[in-house]
Amino acid sequence: MKRKPVYVETNIDTDMDTLWHTTQEPNLHERWDLRFTHIDYDEKQPHNDQASFTYETKLAFGLKVKGRGMATGDVTGDDGKRTSGLQFSSEMPISLIKKGRGYWQYEDTGEGIRFLTQYDYSVRFGFFGKMIDRIMFRPIIGWATAWSFDAMKIWLEKSIPPEQTLQKLKIHSIICIALFIIFFYQGLVPKLLFPETGELDLVSAVSFIHGFEREVVAIIGSAQILWAVLFAAGQQKGDVHCDSHTYGRPRRGCS
């Protein structure tokens, strides 16, 4: 199947100049964009709208991915929309992304700025890399893009710094992971795998299920595992605010 580009849009209650400055200045961009840890622009050449830069993203266990990018200029259409193009690539062998391109678009709606991005990229490692991208990496980077848009929106509309929003995300994630592990473990290990370690004795105290203790314990364990899975899936959907649209599909159930 043909891969879908990453597409995210949001509406921000701000003016065009403020949003443009927040997205185009490297020291501001790296504060709200979860995909980049550091962005460093080269010295811009006179009479040239293009600007090259180096980006860095910190991964787990101290690993870093570095790459190069080129901002391909600012285009303002007859309808007032501003578009900023981008090309990017990485020569590092640990980077799944080989090269890609995309754009940001800014549209004044009269009630704020409609801000959107669409980008796509090619990957390394052949068929294996394409499968990893489709199953795991592309959904993650799409979520990171949408979360970053929301972090910037909160920053511009409510004056809450992105660092504070990120800190809340980390705390929320730790709590959710802990709850998932607890319920999944309690459902799998003591109830489904080793019910003789005490779970059967607990339910045997209820007289009307006498003779069906093992079945009841299995049902309870399966329900706990199901709850853990549904809880994790719900958190994945709920982490991105309702005003962001990911992969071109508006989020459902948003008021």
Side-chain angles (χ1 to χ4, degrees):
M1 290 182 62
K2 184 179 180 180
R3 64 176 183 265
K4 294 182 180 180
V6 177
Y7 176 86
V8 177
E9 72 171 62
T10 190
N11 293 287
I12 304 178
D13 186 10
T14 188
D15 60 87
M16 181 72 76
D17 290 339
T18 298
L19 182 58
W20 183 267
H21 180 69
T22 305
T23 55
Q24 297 293 328
E25 283 294 321
N27 60 323
L28 299 179
H29 180 190
E30 65 190 28
R31 289 183 62 185
W32 59 264
D33 200 329
L34 200 61
R35 298 167 298 173
F36 304 104
T37 306
H38 182 67
I39 302 171
D40 186 21
Y41 271 83
D42 301 335
E43 185 175 351
K44 190 174 181 179
Q45 299 299 319
H47 313 295
N48 189 351
D49 290 336
Q50 296 186 343
S52 59
F53 62 90
T54 301
Y55 66 85
E56 178 180 289
T57 302
K58 291 183 180 179
L59 306 177
F61 310 111
L63 293 176
K64 298 179 181 179
V65 171
K66 296 182 179 180
R68 295 282 298 170
M70 175 73 71
T72 56
D74 168 25
V75 177
T76 302
D78 295 336
D79 54 3
K81 294 180 182 179
R82 297 184 71 176
T83 303
S84 174
L86 177 69
Q87 299 175 4
F88 53 92
S89 63
S90 177
E91 299 296 331
M92 296 189 67
I94 63 171
S95 173
L96 181 64
I97 293 178
K98 184 186 300 183
K99 60 181 178 179
R101 62 192 307 162
Y103 64 89
W104 283 343
Q105 190 174 89
Y106 311 70
E107 179 185 4
D108 192 340
T109 64
E111 298 180 351
I113 306 299
R114 178 174 174 260
F115 180 52
L116 64 88
T117 186
Q118 179 168 299
Y119 60 92
D120 201 2
Y121 52 85
S122 59
V123 299
R124 288 185 169 83
F125 314 124
F127 176 78
F128 178 74
K130 292 179 181 178
M131 292 302 297
I132 292 295
D133 178 57
R134 181 177 178 181
I135 295 172
M136 183 174 64
F137 185 79
R138 191 167 292 252
I140 290 175
I141 200 169
W143 170 87
T145 305
W147 185 92
S148 299
F149 274 35
D150 279 342
M152 180 176 59
K153 176 183 173 70
I154 292 169
W155 188 18
L156 296 179
E157 292 184 348
K158 301 181 180 180
S159 299
I160 299 176
E163 295 82 1
Q164 185 174 336
T165 304
L166 180 59
Q167 186 67 24
K168 291 180 179 179
L169 172 65
K170 292 178 180 179
I171 295 172
H172 176 78
S173 299
I174 291 172
I175 294 173
C176 291
I177 292 171
L179 287 173
F180 172 80
I181 292 175
I182 290 171
F183 275 86
F184 193 90
Y185 174 86
Q186 288 295 327
L188 178 64
V189 177
K191 292 182 177 65
L192 294 183
L193 298 181
F194 306 105
E196 298 85 358
T197 57
E199 298 294 329
L200 292 176
D201 294 336
L202 288 175
V203 299
S204 63
V206 182
S207 58
F208 66 84
I209 62 172
H210 182 69
F212 299 95
E213 292 88 350
R214 187 174 294 274
E215 289 81 2
V216 171
V217 169
I219 292 173
I220 295 173
S222 299
Q224 285 184 304
I225 293 175
L226 178 62
W227 184 91
V229 173
L230 293 177
F231 173 77
Q235 292 304 310
Q236 183 181 7
K237 291 181 179 180
D239 278 338
V240 178
H241 295 172
C242 290
D243 50 19
S244 288
H245 297 205
T246 306
Y247 301 126
R249 299 193 301 271
R251 294 185 52 73
R252 302 301 181 187
C254 297
S255 58

